[in-house]
Amino acid sequence: VPQGEARRWTVVPKDALVWQGTSPIVYSVIDGRAMPVPVRVAFPVGDGVALEPGGLAPGATVVVEGNERLMPMAAVAATPAESPR
């Protein structure tokens, strides 16, 4: 049963998470570079996860495919995600 005030959550695809031990990060694309951002998972939402505030900026572009082998500051070319059918 939900309690408290309604809040807005930043939700990312669960495939955007990269686990470094027990700590997750996501790679955010900033100026064409992959920037690691430490995040804290709040709860699952369908095929995604809601993140605790303070990590990833709302509306940020995140890497979903190939993120496990990325290095920080690697050059990336963002492509729009396909819409679910």
Side-chain angles (χ1 to χ4, degrees):
V1 175
Q3 296 180 356
E5 293 184 37
R7 292 185 5 185
R8 291 189 155 279
W9 294 90
T10 299
V11 178
V12 297
K14 64 183 173 188
D15 290 339
L17 294 176
V18 177
W19 291 89
Q20 296 182 331
T22 59
S23 302
I25 65 164
V26 295
Y27 281 101
S28 180
V29 180
I30 300 172
D31 296 328
R33 301 278 179 189
M35 302 296 292
V37 178
V39 294
R40 291 183 47 195
V41 175
F43 54 89
V45 178
D47 288 336
V49 291
L51 303 177
E52 292 286 344
L56 189 67
T61 300
V62 296
V63 178
V64 177
E65 292 185 24
N67 50 353
E68 292 88 4
R69 53 188 178 270
L70 270 178
M71 298 298 290
M73 298 296 293
V76 294
T79 58
E82 285 188 28
S83 299
R85 294 179 186 212

